Amino acid sequence: MWHASCCATRTRTPRPPGSRPSHRHVSGSDKEMENMARPVIGRRPTAEEVLASLGDVRRVRVETPDLNGALRGKYVAVEKLRSGKPVALPEVYLALDVDEDLVPAPVSEERTGYPDILIAPDWSTARAMPHEPGVVAVVGDGLTKAGDRHPQHPRSVLRNVIDRAAGHGYEAVFGVEYEFWAFRDGAESDAARRVGDLSGMTPLSYTRQGYSMLRWADHAAFADDLEASSQAYGVPIETLMTEIGNGQLEAALAPAPALEAADMAARFKLLVRDVARRHGMYITFMAKLVPEQQGTSGHLHQSLLRDGRNAFWDGAPGRLSAAGLGYAAGLLRATRDCAAFFAPYPNSYRRYVPGHWAPLQLSWGWDDRNSAVRAITLSASATRFEQRRSGSDLQPYLAIAACIAGGVDGILAQRDPGPPGEPLTSMPLPADLRAAAALLRGSALARDWLGDELVELYAASRDDEQRVYDQLARAHIPAWEIRRYFEVV
């Protein structure tokens, strides 16, 4: 899209003992990003400490991301978790596609017997569930039975990347912006949705008007509930606004250390759908829904801290430090090599069309929304990059991991991003998911930083998604094709 949203001050819900404070992010050319910086790292709280601080808790909702970035899990009796033991899930859940079919991969082979993966709750993420009395939600890491981080679990992979960056003295902070479509629910809309008939669905608004105050009344009650519920769930929204598309909205989440930002992004998608149901609405994050209108983006604002200071700031607006230039070069490389994390479905590539605000070439620029990487250098606290190639269907854990990996690798290798505004014609972006999966599989960067096992599983999952998409396309003759040829051939 063509804007960066403004931010307003929010009061954060108190966090459990030992957890990190959040960091407010101001994205927008007319406001600084306040204190996108200095997380205070404390020890991780225990289950007993957190449960005692939250009062009457009966059940714990253990959440953990799948390969697509969606949260899965189970409700567990609180007494079972007081000792701090992990929760078991079938490891094969990491190889389920969006329709719950198995992705062909070693982890999904019948000969394995489908053993368990252990999910260790990260009690710093514990939040009392809005509208579920007595329930606390906590995000968990994937572990092997030996107690090591699971090499194919998205949150554990992101932890590895964060730790490696920290070993070089860097800590990443991210702020995620999500665009999404909202529709009014009802018998006719529901029936149309089930068969994929967009013409039978009722958008939240029939007008196209970004930043509209006129359209606000269409969703004021929903917005109020979403903001309050998100705050309680630990996913503070700094701005909520209308986007250009009919019934399209955007939420900018507060910035946070990378792992927390990924958790917030995954939790937001789950929560916004739940809130929408209470207001007779339903939500989609499909990257491209209406051919003649823009798609939905999932922009990633990011900066690095070194010794508590912004590593990209070079003393004045319109400049970047050597670290900033190296990060930009590495981020461009990651945008191409790891495109499958930023655009993970065949539908994702429908978004990349001229004139619809999605970058079509690999380039960076100063406050340039046509570039895949936009450099924002307002002040020492606000200097950051915005990754604009990603859609709202991105895999948040792996997309953030790829950004950090590429950026820090670029700093260490002292890479040069080239002149601003000039496309890197030697590095063409993939035109479809099949090409993106091939790039990921062949990426030395991804294999080095994220691991061979994650790369192989994720690339296999994208190949399979493309295969199913092609199969479905061949099995159905679209209405427009019949209309065009029925009488005249």
Side-chain angles (χ1 to χ4, degrees):
M1 214 348 240
W2 48 270
H3 74 282
S5 54
C6 300
C7 293
T9 302
R10 304 290 184 214
T11 302
R12 297 295 297 270
T13 302
R15 294 174 173 271
S19 62
R20 299 179 179 183
S22 66
H23 309 276
R24 233 178 37 83
H25 173 111
V26 177
S27 57
S29 58
D30 59 345
K31 282 183 179 278
E32 292 186 357
M33 180 168 54
E34 296 178 3
N35 297 325
M36 188 171 184
R38 199 162 301 181
V40 178
I41 302 175
R43 67 176 181 84
R44 294 175 67 178
T46 66
E48 192 61 48
E49 286 174 331
V50 172
L51 293 171
S53 72
L54 291 173
D56 183 21
V57 179
R58 295 179 293 103
R59 291 183 298 165
V60 178
R61 189 169 94 173
V62 180
E63 306 168 334
T64 197
D66 66 12
L67 205 62
N68 291 311
L71 293 178
R72 296 178 184 250
K74 59 173 72 172
Y75 284 78
V76 183
V78 67
E79 293 305 323
K80 184 177 177 64
L81 293 176
R82 284 192 184 277
S83 66
K85 292 182 179 179
V87 173
L89 291 179
E91 185 184 46
V92 74
Y93 97 90
L94 289 172
L96 292 176
D97 69 13
V98 294
D99 204 28
E100 298 297 284
D101 290 324
L102 289 176
V103 172
V107 71
S108 65
E109 292 177 359
E110 187 174 358
R111 63 175 178 79
T112 66
Y114 308 126
D116 283 339
I117 181 176
L118 302 180
I119 306 300
D122 178 352
W123 290 100
S124 70
T125 68
R127 300 291 182 272
M129 281 299 300
H131 304 285
E132 289 191 58
V135 175
V136 168
V138 60
V139 184
D141 294 302
L143 303 179
T144 66
K145 289 179 180 176
D148 301 318
R149 291 176 185 169
H150 195 287
Q152 294 171 316
H153 188 274
R155 195 172 196 264
S156 296
V157 169
L158 175 55
R159 273 197 185 277
N160 290 339
V161 171
I162 290 169
D163 286 352
R164 184 166 169 181
H168 293 289
Y170 295 107
E171 182 165 10
V173 180
F174 277 73
V176 180
E177 292 179 357
Y178 271 137
E179 295 172 2
F180 53 95
W181 297 91
F183 292 86
R184 299 190 184 281
D185 208 351
E188 292 183 4
S189 288
D190 185 63
R193 174 165 52 95
R194 292 179 184 279
V195 298
D197 178 16
L198 190 62
S199 66
M201 304 180 202
T202 305
L204 185 61
S205 173
Y206 285 105
T207 61
R208 296 181 63 207
Q209 191 178 26
Y211 304 99
S212 175
M213 294 296 101
L214 176 66
R215 279 176 51 189
W216 192 258
D218 295 342
H219 60 269
F222 162 73
D224 186 60
D225 190 356
L226 178 62
E227 183 177 42
S229 297
S230 295
Q231 187 81 8
Y233 194 27
V235 188
I237 299 171
E238 293 208 323
T239 61
L240 183 65
M241 52 170 283
T242 62
E243 263 294 356
I244 287 181
N246 294 357
Q248 193 179 38
L249 302 174
E250 182 195 276
L253 308 183
L259 187 65
E260 184 181 348
D263 289 339
M264 288 163 57
R267 282 178 151 180
F268 177 79
K269 280 192 172 181
L270 197 62
L271 180 72
V272 70
R273 289 182 165 108
D274 183 49
V275 174
R277 282 193 291 268
R278 293 201 293 270
H279 292 267
M281 297 160 52
Y282 56 91
I283 302 294
T284 182
F285 288 85
M286 281 182 65
K288 192 69 171 182
L289 192 64
V290 183
E292 63 273 14
Q293 296 187 30
Q294 68 179 53
T296 53
S297 69
H299 296 156
L300 299 174
H301 289 258
Q302 55 203 276
S303 68
L304 285 186
L305 307 177
R306 189 177 182 88
D307 299 325
R309 298 176 181 272
N310 191 316
F312 301 157
W313 176 246
D314 195 39
R319 291 163 48 181
L320 284 168
S321 67
L325 290 170
Y327 191 97
L331 182 55
L332 288 169
R333 180 187 178 196
T335 298
R336 178 179 184 267
D337 282 18
C338 302
F341 301 149
F342 304 115
Y345 304 104
N347 174 263
S348 308
Y349 297 83
R350 293 183 180 274
R351 176 172 162 260
Y352 303 126
V353 294
H356 283 194
W357 304 105
L360 305 181
Q361 295 177 307
L362 199 60
S363 65
W364 76 282
W366 302 107
D367 198 9
D368 182 358
R369 290 181 171 86
N370 294 314
S371 295
V373 173
R374 174 185 173 218
I376 304 168
T377 56
L378 299 176
S379 69
S381 64
T383 295
R384 65 196 186 277
F385 292 108
E386 180 189 16
Q387 210 283 8
R388 294 182 56 80
R389 177 78 175 171
S390 46
S392 61
D393 55 353
L394 86 171
Q395 212 295 1
Y397 293 89
L398 300 180
I400 289 175
C403 289
I404 299 169
V408 175
D409 186 80
I411 293 172
L412 299 177
Q414 298 181 330
R415 300 188 190 281
D416 182 359
E422 292 190 15
L424 300 176
T425 55
S426 63
M427 297 174 63
L429 290 164
D432 56 29
L433 184 58
R434 183 176 288 106
L439 282 171
L440 179 63
R441 190 174 273 115
S443 172
L445 171 72
R447 289 184 178 277
D448 179 23
W449 281 77
L450 279 69
D452 290 333
E453 292 175 272
L454 182 281
V455 167
E456 288 295 337
L457 176 59
Y458 195 83
S461 75
R462 297 313 100 181
D463 284 339
D464 193 61
E465 190 66 32
Q466 184 70 57
R467 178 192 63 78
V468 173
Y469 178 90
D470 293 342
Q471 188 177 49
L472 290 171
R474 289 192 298 269
H476 296 84
I477 299 175
W480 64 262
E481 189 172 337
I482 296 173
R483 287 197 304 269
R484 182 171 179 81
Y485 298 116
F486 189 84
E487 293 192 29
V488 298
V489 299

